[in-house]
Amino acid sequence: MELAYYSDYAVRLVNTEEPARNKDVLTTVEAVRDLFGANGQAARRATDADVTRFRSVRARLRAVFEAADIGDETLAVDLLNSLLLEFPVSPQISGHDTRDADGKPDWHMHLADHPSNVTAGYAAIAAMGLAFHLTSYGVDRLGLCEAAPCRNAYLDTSTNRSRRYCSDRCATRANVAAYRARKRLETERAADTGRSAETAQASTARTER
């Protein structure tokens, strides 16, 4: 498994909450388990106590994205470093579960965590994955959706650093809103122009009389 994959752990956790919409789906142990995806073995170890712990880690990960979003690279790195120190991992070479075309192990880097609880394990992987993405692509590749009130986190992997939204749905919504705003402005300007023309005609008529 490539290290870049682990950065999605951070995004998945951060996006369980939408503060601007007062929405939070991380309220049960089942929601915690859902975050692990195919890693069912780790998910089964989750308990009700992990709900609160996951929320705490989520707030710290969101703070990293928020710092990156306002261009404060030093703060983003400092916040992420604090997570890395608190939740360490051990890089290992793995290949036992994948094979190449010749049937040989497909050796790759794997992050082995040694957690005291499920939250610590998830946090370690999420922080390391996010750190790998940050150092490989730049702090400005960590973003928060510009389609208000969404503000979901995303990782920009575009070739020209152009991503601004967390999903196609948000991009479409933002584009439609921008289009409607332009049309309103055009209508208002046309109305103002019409009123100005009427005023000028009335003034001319009075002068001629």
Side-chain angles (χ1 to χ4, degrees):
M1 184 179 295
E2 295 182 0
L3 293 181
Y5 167 84
Y6 292 114
S7 58
D8 288 335
Y9 276 58
V11 173
R12 287 204 300 269
L13 178 53
V14 170
N15 290 346
T16 59
E17 181 185 29
E18 296 182 58
R21 290 173 171 156
N22 197 28
K23 181 179 179 181
D24 186 352
V25 300
L26 192 59
T27 58
T28 64
V29 67
E30 287 75 19
V32 169
R33 289 169 178 161
D34 287 343
L35 288 168
F36 287 88
N39 191 353
Q41 184 176 357
R44 284 192 295 271
R45 295 175 50 229
T47 67
D48 289 331
D50 286 298
V51 176
T52 300
R53 289 193 288 254
F54 261 73
R55 285 181 168 184
S56 176
V57 172
R58 179 181 64 187
R60 295 171 66 182
L61 286 170
R62 175 169 282 277
V64 175
F65 280 91
E66 289 174 342
D69 188 60
I70 62 175
D72 194 336
E73 296 191 6
T74 300
L75 178 58
V77 169
D78 287 345
L79 291 171
L80 191 49
N81 272 335
S82 69
L83 284 164
L84 292 170
L85 286 172
E86 186 173 345
F87 303 106
V89 295
S90 302
Q92 295 180 352
I93 299 174
S94 179
H96 59 84
D97 55 348
T98 56
R99 301 282 172 172
D100 61 19
D102 298 323
K104 297 180 180 179
D106 183 15
W107 301 116
H108 56 275
M109 292 301 298
H110 176 80
L111 296 182
D113 57 277
H114 309 284
S116 57
N117 55 65
V118 169
T119 304
Y122 192 100
I125 291 174
M128 188 63 192
L130 198 57
F132 177 81
H133 191 92
L134 184 153
T135 54
S136 297
Y137 304 107
V139 177
D140 60 340
R141 292 300 188 117
L142 278 60
L144 291 173
C145 186
E146 293 185 3
C150 178
R151 303 302 282 169
N152 271 351
Y154 66 84
L155 299 172
D156 185 3
T157 56
S158 63
T159 56
N160 58 353
R161 299 174 182 265
S162 61
R163 186 171 178 179
R164 296 293 179 270
Y165 307 103
C166 68
S167 64
D168 291 339
R169 180 182 179 182
C170 277
T172 299
R173 190 172 74 246
N175 289 334
V176 170
Y179 171 78
R180 289 174 176 171
R182 288 195 301 271
K183 296 301 289 184
R184 284 196 299 270
L185 182 60
E186 291 173 0
T187 300
E188 291 171 359
R189 286 176 175 172
D192 289 341
T193 300
R195 285 192 292 269
S196 297
E198 292 174 358
T199 300
Q201 290 175 355
S203 177
T204 299
R206 286 195 297 271
T207 300
E208 291 176 349
R209 284 198 299 269

